[in-house]
């Protein structure tokens, strides 16, 4: 067993700080400008050779700034979100894994509270976030515990233009939906500062067919109203040309009535979430490399009530990370560092306060021995109280084996280890938790082919195909037991394997600009070994669709633009025995924009329709989802 005391924890923190202060750096590898047709230089991909990484385009984030990150990612990526109705929790699942097997990082820090071990994307706004990227597949060597199926990478906005700027938006829509947001920013020679705030509220009083009642009558949704607001603050100050400090704040507040399941007795369920995230960073460059020291404090508060329950969870997270990056030209880059975490959790579902310390050391290496070949070798060793995680290495390559004036063909591959420690709820929830749960350990392998076609400034087409195979030992899953109560158990061995296809295109014909994205995933996720008897061996895990596909397109002409998103989700079983299931569904989303130039300022008018075909669908059993709806927004941008 690996045990940490407070004294050891903070002694390790002091050592890492002293090492960081004495270390120096000249440049980060993310600053490299590779060839125009190279995409391996994106910041999220620097140490992720062989992995699939994609970013959400800024034009889409701008148009859907009033949406949650759940809506944005579900419309533009073929990953699956399980949503407990229109006002409930929304969680993500990569490659047939669970929500707690996905790491969500904000400026490099994992934001999932130690109690749940997952992030509720319905409470995360698009506004106030600068960049959104997703990395598919195991990434524990880079991001630590929980990055088994993939990782969502969020970064604060960067303000590069000089002077003041502002962005104001007002939106109104169906089902009592209103959204307001505003942001201000200033960028000078040494100081860049920005702040944003938003308010989103909705009655969600739509009508739906109640499938639990005879003849499925139309009824009005009740107890699904919500109000969310929050703000962000970002400040960067350059003490010199080689040293800067940064402060970031992100606060979200969500007061929600929890939508009851069809046929369930009304229990007046409500949930209040308050999430405060603070972080500070110091960066210094010199001939020895780039030193980054970051510290963060998170406070996650959750208050759930219904007619018979009053439960509060309050989690405080302290994190410290110090890392050193040394880059030698464009041939190789090495980053090493240490990450420390301390959790303090007070929960009415526990017998008492639970504290936990975690630490990890990591090394990330990128090497380009020759121009067409890029290699990465990553390693992380975690230390967790009462557990002894195995090391998690990762080895990947990108080989650009054909490159002409128009075409580029690349082969990629990756093998990586992963792990996840049981959450505090998994272990300590009275009446359900199991302190004897084993941690998850596994291996992931993937390979793929990428084609890039460039026709001057007229056409850019990128197509990628990836196949993956993942084996996870002691997979932790919450499922109903023989009494109907939900409990966590270890599944002996789960295999997830599949195929991912994606293609993006941008074309310019005169004054018309066209862009499109298509994606498809086939995901098989099943138990291949069981602890007792046959169990549910060889059957698809619940809420994992075999088929998922998206298609999105945008046409722009003289200030006008039309956006469309088509999203298909296949059949999902609602039990591991494959005895019950939810039907597949297809969602269509359309938006029309008009951009008006008012001298140097910009006014954008947007009319959007969600669920255009008025489809009836569920992402969670017996949870009604809204029919066709409309929103209209005005957005005023001052450069």
């Amino acid at each position: 067993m690996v045990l940490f005391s407070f004294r050891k924890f903070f002694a390790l923190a002091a050592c890492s700080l002293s090492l960081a202060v004495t270390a120096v750096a000249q440049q980060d590898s993310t600053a490299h400008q590779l060839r125009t047709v190279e995409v391996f230089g994106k910041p999220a991909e620097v140490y992720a050779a062989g992995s699939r990484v994609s970013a959400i385009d800024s034009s889409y984030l701008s148009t859907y700034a009033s949406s949650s990150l759940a809506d944005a990612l579900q419309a533009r990526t073929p990953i699956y979100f399980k949503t407990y109705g229109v006002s409930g929790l929304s969680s993500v699942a990569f490659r047939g894994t669970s929500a707690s097997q996905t790491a969500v990082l904000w400026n490099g820090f994992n934001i999932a509270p130690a109690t749940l071990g997952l992030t509720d994307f319905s409470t995360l706004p698009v506004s106030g976030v600068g960049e959104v990227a997703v990395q598919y597949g195991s990434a524990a060597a880079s991001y630590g515990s929980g990055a088994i199926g993939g990782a969502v990478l969020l970064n604060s906005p960067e303000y590069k233009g000089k002077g003041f700027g502002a962005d104001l938006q007002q939106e109104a829509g169906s089902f009592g939906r209103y959204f307001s947001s505003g942001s201000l920013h200033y960028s000078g020679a040494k100081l860049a500062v920005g702040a944003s705030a938003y308010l989103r509220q909705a009655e969600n009083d739509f009508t739906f067919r109640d499938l639990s009642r005879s003849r499925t009558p139309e009824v009005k949704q009740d107890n699904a109203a919500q109000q969310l607001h929050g703000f962000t603050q970002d400040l960067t100050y350059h003490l010199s040309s080689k040293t800067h400090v940064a402060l970031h704040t992100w606060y979200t507040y969500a007061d929600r009535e929890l939508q009851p399941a069809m046929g369930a007795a009304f229990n007046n369920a409500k949930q209040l979430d308050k999430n405060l995230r603070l972080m500070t960073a110091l960066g210094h460059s010199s001939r020895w490399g780039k030193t980054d020291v970051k510290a963060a404090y998170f406070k996650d508060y959750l208050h759930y009530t219904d007619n018979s329950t009053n439960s509060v969870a309050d989690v405080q997270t302290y994190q410290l990370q110090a890392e050193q990056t040394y880059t030698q030209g464009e041939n190789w880059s090495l980053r090493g560092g240490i990450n420390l975490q301390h959790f303090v959790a007070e929960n009415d579902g526990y017998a008492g306060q639970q504290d936990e310390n975690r630490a990890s050391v990591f090394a990330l290496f990128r090497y380009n021995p020759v121009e067409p070949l890029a290699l990465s070798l990553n390693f992380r060793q975690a230390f967790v109280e009462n557990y002894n995680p195995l090391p998690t290495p990762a080895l990947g390559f990108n080989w650009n084996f054909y490159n002409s004036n128009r075409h580029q063909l690349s082969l990629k591959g990756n093998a990586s280890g992963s792990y996840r420690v049981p959450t505090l709820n998994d272990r300590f929830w009275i009446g359900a938790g199991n302190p004897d749960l084993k941690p998850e350990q596994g291996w992931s392998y993937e390979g793929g082919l990428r084609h890039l076609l460039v026709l001057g400034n007229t056409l850019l087409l990128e197509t990628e195909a990836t196949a993956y195979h993942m084996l996870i030992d002691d997979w932790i899953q919450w499922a109903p037991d023989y009494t109907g109560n939900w409990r966590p158990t270890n599944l002996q061995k789960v295999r997830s394997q599949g195929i991912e296809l994606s293609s993006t295109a941008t074309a310019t014909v005169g004054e018309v600009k066209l862009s499109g994205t298509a994606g498809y995933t086939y995901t098989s996720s099943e138990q291949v070994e069981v602890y007792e008897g046959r169990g549910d061996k060889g059957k698809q895990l619940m809420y994992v669709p075999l088929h998922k596909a998206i298609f999105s397109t945008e046409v722009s002409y003289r200030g006008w633009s039309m956006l469309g998103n088509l999203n298909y989700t296949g059949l999902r079983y609602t039990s591991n025995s494959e005895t019950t299931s939810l039907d597949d569904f297809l969602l269509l989303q359309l938006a029309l924009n008009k951009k008006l130039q008012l001298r140097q300022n910009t006014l954008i008018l947007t009319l959007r329709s969600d669920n255009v075909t008025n489809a009836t669908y569920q992402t969670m059993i017996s949870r009604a989802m809204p029919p066709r709806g409309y929103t209209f927004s005005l957005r005023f941008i001052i450069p």
Side-chain angles (χ1 to χ4, degrees):
M1 299 294 180
V2 179
L3 302 176
F4 282 94
S5 66
F6 275 111
R7 184 176 300 174
K8 291 181 180 178
F9 182 81
F10 288 110
L12 202 54
C15 290
S16 66
L17 278 172
S18 63
L19 287 172
V21 170
T22 57
V24 277
Q26 65 179 6
Q27 64 178 11
D28 189 357
S29 60
T30 60
H32 288 329
Q33 297 296 320
L34 302 182
R35 296 187 304 276
T36 302
V37 292
E38 270 285 10
V39 299
F40 302 138
K42 296 176 184 177
E45 295 183 7
V46 174
Y47 300 102
S51 297
R52 182 184 172 202
V53 181
S54 62
I56 308 301
D57 57 274
S58 58
S59 62
Y60 175 81
L61 293 177
S62 175
T63 300
Y64 293 88
S66 64
S67 302
S68 68
L69 275 170
D71 298 329
L73 288 171
Q74 185 161 238
R76 302 296 274 199
T77 65
I79 55 180
Y80 179 62
F81 277 84
K82 185 170 64 176
T83 302
Y84 289 73
V86 70
S87 62
L89 178 145
S90 184
S91 58
V92 66
F94 281 76
R95 293 185 171 179
T97 60
S98 67
S100 55
Q101 293 168 330
T102 300
V104 181
L105 290 97
W106 173 62
N107 295 323
F109 285 114
N110 195 319
I111 64 173
T115 48
L116 290 171
L118 59 85
T119 301
D120 184 358
F121 279 76
S122 68
T123 65
L124 301 182
V126 172
S127 59
V129 176
E131 295 179 350
V132 180
V134 294
Q135 179 171 337
Y136 298 79
S138 299
S142 298
Y143 306 121
S145 175
I148 292 179
V152 179
L153 312 176
L154 311 176
N155 286 299
S156 298
E158 294 184 4
Y159 305 104
K160 297 180 180 179
K162 299 298 182 182
F164 287 93
D167 190 332
L168 304 173
Q169 182 172 355
Q170 180 64 54
E171 179 178 290
S174 303
F175 320 126
R177 174 188 171 91
Y178 296 94
F179 175 83
S180 302
S181 70
S183 67
L184 294 170
H185 63 85
Y186 167 80
S187 181
K190 289 190 173 184
L191 176 67
V193 60
S196 69
Y198 76 96
L199 169 65
R200 184 170 77 235
Q201 58 186 30
E203 293 298 324
N204 292 320
D205 52 354
F206 54 87
T207 58
F208 67 96
R209 290 199 170 275
D210 190 341
L211 304 180
S212 68
R213 298 167 60 180
S214 176
R215 299 183 181 180
T216 63
E218 282 196 350
V219 297
K220 179 172 286 190
Q221 182 64 63
D222 191 21
N223 201 67
Q226 57 180 305
Q227 179 175 307
L228 301 91
H229 63 259
F231 66 87
T232 63
Q233 168 273 314
D234 304 286
L235 182 150
T236 301
Y237 183 74
H238 291 270
L239 301 172
S240 69
S241 60
K242 296 182 178 181
T243 306
H244 73 273
V245 293
L247 299 171
H248 301 283
T249 303
W250 189 11
Y251 176 75
T252 58
Y253 174 99
D255 189 3
R256 296 175 285 177
E257 298 174 344
L258 297 184
Q259 175 182 349
M262 300 179 198
F266 179 72
N267 64 352
N268 197 34
K270 297 179 181 179
Q271 182 170 313
L272 175 66
D273 294 87
K274 300 178 184 179
N275 307 100
L276 174 65
R277 305 177 182 99
L278 303 171
M279 70 160 289
T280 181
L282 169 67
H284 178 70
S285 299
S286 75
R287 63 190 181 90
W288 295 104
K290 187 172 186 293
T291 304
D292 291 289
V293 181
K294 298 185 291 185
Y297 169 76
F298 301 158
K299 183 175 175 61
D300 299 288
Y301 174 87
L302 186 154
H303 185 193
Y304 172 86
T305 60
D306 60 31
N307 291 339
S308 59
T309 307
N310 187 347
S311 177
V312 173
D314 194 346
V315 186
Q316 298 182 75
T317 304
Y318 302 84
Q319 298 193 63
L320 176 67
Q321 183 164 299
E323 59 187 33
Q324 179 74 22
T325 305
Y326 182 78
T327 301
Q328 181 63 45
E330 295 187 4
N331 293 104
W332 63 270
S333 179
L334 175 64
R335 174 177 296 171
I338 185 171
N339 179 272
L340 306 175
Q341 295 175 306
H342 176 62
F343 303 103
V344 180
E346 297 179 6
N347 195 317
D348 291 342
Y350 303 164
Q353 177 179 299
Q354 298 295 332
D355 295 6
E356 186 170 271
N357 296 315
R358 300 183 187 180
S360 62
V361 292
F362 59 91
L364 314 176
F365 181 60
R366 171 69 176 242
Y367 180 49
N368 295 20
V370 291
E371 187 173 300
L373 182 63
L375 305 173
S376 66
L377 176 61
N378 303 333
F379 174 88
R380 182 180 291 261
Q381 176 62 67
F383 307 95
V384 184
E385 285 185 288
N386 301 316
Y387 293 97
N388 189 21
L390 295 175
T392 51
L395 174 65
F397 74 91
N398 290 317
W399 177 34
N400 180 9
F401 62 89
Y402 179 78
N403 195 354
S404 69
N405 290 333
R406 293 185 176 182
H407 298 274
Q408 182 185 96
L409 283 170
S410 302
L411 188 67
K412 67 172 187 176
N414 182 277
S416 57
S418 60
Y419 76 95
R420 185 174 78 88
V421 176
T423 67
L424 299 183
N425 282 7
D426 291 339
R427 287 174 276 165
F428 302 118
W429 194 270
I430 298 174
N434 181 3
D436 296 323
L437 282 172
K438 300 176 183 178
E440 300 172 340
Q441 302 273 175
W443 283 91
S444 176
Y445 311 91
E446 68 176 273
L449 188 66
R450 172 180 163 272
H451 173 249
L452 195 65
L453 171 64
V454 181
L455 296 179
N457 296 322
T458 302
L459 175 66
L460 174 64
L461 174 64
E462 181 181 349
T463 304
E464 188 171 351
T466 303
Y468 65 89
H469 181 91
M470 194 184 319
L471 285 172
I472 307 297
D473 292 323
D474 295 311
W475 179 296
I476 300 171
Q477 184 184 72
W478 283 74
D481 62 10
Y482 67 94
T483 65
N485 295 321
W486 286 70
R487 300 179 185 277
T489 57
N490 283 120
L491 307 182
Q492 184 174 357
K493 188 182 290 290
V494 172
R495 179 184 63 205
S496 180
Q497 57 188 355
I499 298 172
E500 298 169 341
L501 305 174
S502 65
S503 184
T504 60
T506 301
T508 303
V509 182
E511 296 185 71
V512 179
K513 184 177 180 181
L514 306 169
S515 63
T517 299
Y520 166 78
T521 62
Y522 172 84
T523 307
S524 171
S525 186
E526 59 188 25
Q527 295 186 67
V528 292
E529 294 182 21
V530 296
Y531 279 117
E532 296 181 4
R534 176 173 172 79
D536 295 311
K537 184 177 179 180
K539 296 182 178 181
Q540 184 82 345
L541 293 186
M542 59 182 182
Y543 290 106
V544 177
L546 272 174
H547 306 282
K548 187 82 167 64
I550 60 105
F551 175 74
S552 62
T553 184
E554 180 177 2
V555 181
S556 302
Y557 176 74
R558 291 188 175 182
W560 290 91
S561 64
M562 170 72 82
L563 290 86
N565 294 299
L566 197 61
N567 193 305
Y568 172 78
T569 300
L571 177 144
R572 292 130 293 139
Y573 295 105
T574 57
S575 70
N576 287 342
S577 61
E578 296 186 355
T579 54
T580 56
S581 63
L582 295 177
D583 293 336
D584 62 346
F585 61 88
L586 184 69
L587 297 179
L588 175 62
Q589 188 180 60
L590 296 174
L592 178 65
N593 289 338
K594 174 57 178 175
K595 183 182 295 185
L596 302 172
Q597 290 299 135
L598 305 177
R599 296 185 179 180
Q600 294 181 339
N601 307 318
T602 304
L603 177 65
I604 302 176
L605 292 79
T606 301
L607 177 63
R608 188 177 86 236
S609 177
D610 301 317
N611 193 4
V612 175
T613 60
N614 211 32
T616 299
Y617 68 101
Q618 299 172 60
T619 63
M620 190 71 181
I621 189 169
S622 299
R623 307 283 178 168
M625 298 300 286
R628 178 172 50 243
Y630 302 92
T631 58
F632 177 74
S633 74
L634 295 170
R635 187 177 183 188
F636 187 64
I637 303 174
I638 302 173

